[in-house]
Amino acid sequence: MAPTIHYWGIKGRAQFAILVAAYAGQELVWNKEPDWPGLKPATPFGQLPFLEDGDVKIAQSAAIGRYLGRKFGLQGETDADFAHSEQLIEEAQDIFAAIGKANYGADKAEAFNELFATEVPKHFALLEKLLQGGDRFTTTTTTGEIAVFNVINILLDLEPAVLSNFAGLQSFYNRISSNAGVAAYLAASPAAYFKRA
């Protein structure tokens, strides 16, 4: 039986895990209408996303993404790849947190303007320095690369030109999005949760 992820049918915290499964070409059941708050007592921390895979029942979006990455063989072939992948997951989490902070800011429009004027270019410049061979962070595609792809995808909904000054990240994004599973997900992807206004 395929793992099941419980999370509303929006682009949000569950998308990282969903993209990991999509890239790996593995089945993942997405319960887009979870019984909430009925499901809450079954979750470890009373929150979604929540993954059930047989006896494994876990929460926390990054933990779910890492678990599926391990299950589907996307941890990298070397210790260095694994280390870089883990680093990228943490960086992606920082960017996601910045998006959330802007989204819930007192002046949402101004907070997003500031995010795209300063925070995002800073993160993207640092990420570009880590690219190896033009469009790769690691020697094989890893969970960490999917995590970075995920936040870029969310940012593109908010600012379509976000990659215009970052040719390396654009090439990286194009490479991941050309994967058959990812392309299929993007073609049918749910509505964006985050909005600038």
Side-chain angles (χ1 to χ4, degrees), residues 17-133:
I18 292 162
L19 285 166
V20 168
Y23 187 91
Q26 299 291 326
E27 185 180 358
L28 176 67
V29 176
W30 183 3
N31 174 17
K32 297 179 182 179
E33 296 181 3
D35 172 21
W36 198 258
L39 185 62
K40 190 172 185 176
T43 67
F45 304 112
Q47 62 190 23
L48 298 179
F50 172 54
L51 181 85
E52 296 182 282
D53 185 21
D55 292 336
V56 177
K57 301 178 189 310
I58 58 170
Q60 298 292 356
S61 57
I64 294 169
R66 285 177 161 107
Y67 170 78
L68 292 177
R70 176 182 166 91
K71 183 179 179 78
F72 301 147
L74 294 174
Q75 286 190 302
E77 295 181 2
T78 66
D79 288 345
D81 273 353
F82 174 75
H84 289 301
S85 176
E86 289 292 297
Q87 173 179 256
L88 292 171
I89 292 170
E90 294 301 319
E91 171 65 4
Q93 290 292 100
D94 286 350
I95 296 171
F96 193 96
I99 296 168
K101 182 178 178 183
N103 192 67
Y104 298 112
D107 186 338
K108 187 174 179 176
E110 180 55 34
F112 271 118
N113 289 342
E114 181 65 18
L115 177 75
F116 286 103
T118 60
E119 281 289 304
V120 171
K122 177 184 77 175
H123 284 284
F124 279 12
L126 294 171
L127 282 167
E128 284 233 317
K129 288 182 183 178
L130 297 176
L131 284 168
Q132 304 172 17

